Amino acid sequence: MSTGEADLGEEVAANVRAVRARIRSAGADPASVRLVAVTKGFGPQVVEAVLSAGVVDVAESYAQELEAKAAAVPGPRWHFVGRLQTNKVRRLAPLVELWQSIDRPALVSELARRAPGGRALVQVNVTAERGRGGCDPHDVPVLVDQLRESSIDVAGLMAVGRAGSPERARPGFRLLAELADRLELVERSMGMSGDLEVAVEEGSTMVRIGRALFGARPSPPIGTGEALCPPTN
């Protein structure tokens, strides 16, 4: 292992401990809230670093990145958290263990065809903001029923909180938790680097963390043909 890789590993391990301390300070046992490392925009070296730090759940937002990193680094439980296109499901089906962004019937049909028995979360737009991923809260029960009828294991719900002050995200997280309770769903994937405390207070079982583990995403992103450097913060 090179000096740079060792330094990166130590930095990521320290950041993992810090995130788990934040979960504890928000009132939850870190063992009860799954930490999902979002490596979007970084190279395979951060996946190796986070695995070494004991985090096995790793998420990507783009099919190309997930495929490249899965080929380079064995071991993660891969989550897909981005806007999912139906034509990408077939390629990703052998790799993804949890589909976190199912938000429309067309995706349910494609999952049933390409990933029968797979696990999924329904993404809910809890902020009513245009352009946000996720289905309308009123449509969630129907989509959950469609997943169940399609032999997909619908494990819970996912949402992205409102941007800005963490407190602005609280009403949306509370709505998601209430929906999950009503539908008897266990998993509530909510909370990112800036608002994880509020999410944990509102019952999150899964936080999706990128910046607090790896720093700001480097530029240029994967897909430009240029190599990525590890974070330096």
Side-chain angles (χ1 to χ4, degrees), residues 21 24 68 87 90-91 94 105 113 125 139 167 180 189 208 215:
R24 184 178 292 107
N87 63 355
R90 179 180 61 83
R91 291 165 46 190
R113 289 180 60 208
N125 183 345
D139 297 331
E167 281 299 321
S189 175
R208 309 179 306 275

Side-chain angles (χ1 to χ4, degrees), residues 13-225:
N15 290 342
V16 167
R17 291 192 295 272
V19 168
R20 287 182 168 146
R22 289 174 62 186
I23 292 171
R24 184 178 292 107
S25 71
D29 179 353
S32 70
V33 180
R34 187 180 307 185
L35 173 53
V36 181
V38 181
T39 59
K40 177 176 71 174
F42 292 94
Q45 65 269 42
V46 302
V47 181
E48 294 171 344
V50 81
L51 285 173
S52 295
V55 177
V56 298
D57 292 281
V58 181
E60 286 296 333
S61 297
Y62 298 109
Q64 183 178 350
E65 282 196 60
L66 194 154
E67 289 174 309
K69 291 173 192 174
V73 185
R77 287 195 296 245
W78 290 104
H79 298 228
F80 193 83
V81 297
R83 298 291 291 273
L84 182 60
Q85 299 174 330
T86 54
N87 63 355
K88 298 296 193 299
V89 172
R90 179 180 61 83
R91 291 165 46 190
L92 294 175
L95 304 173
V96 173
E97 296 202 30
L98 184 61
W99 307 85
Q100 288 214 27
S101 51
I102 305 306
D103 62 0
R104 58 194 188 279
L107 286 174
V108 176
S109 300
E110 193 65 11
L111 278 186
R113 289 180 60 208
R114 306 295 186 181
R119 298 185 75 235
L121 305 181
V122 170
Q123 183 175 358
V124 187
N125 183 345
V126 296
T127 67
E129 294 173 287
R130 290 183 178 274
R132 278 291 182 98
C135 65
D136 186 280
H138 293 97
D139 297 331
V140 171
V142 171
L143 201 57
V144 167
D145 285 344
Q146 289 174 339
L147 284 162
R148 287 170 169 161
E149 291 167 3
S150 301
S151 73
I152 301 298
D153 177 11
V154 53
L157 307 179
M158 183 269 256
V160 177
R162 186 178 292 276
S165 164
E167 281 299 321
R168 296 187 68 202
R170 190 181 295 278
F173 292 158
R174 186 165 295 170
L175 171 61
L176 191 86
E178 290 171 352
L179 276 171
D181 285 343
R182 192 183 316 154
L183 296 167
E184 300 182 335
L185 297 170
V186 173
E187 298 287 1
R188 300 102 194 270
S189 175
M190 54 191 192
M192 298 191 292
S193 294
D195 56 18
L196 75 85
E197 285 87 356
V198 170
V200 169
E201 290 168 1
E202 294 299 330
S204 177
T205 64
M206 190 181 302
V207 291
R208 309 179 306 275
I209 308 298
R211 177 169 45 83
L213 295 178
F214 311 121
R217 286 198 299 272
S219 182
I222 280 179
T224 64

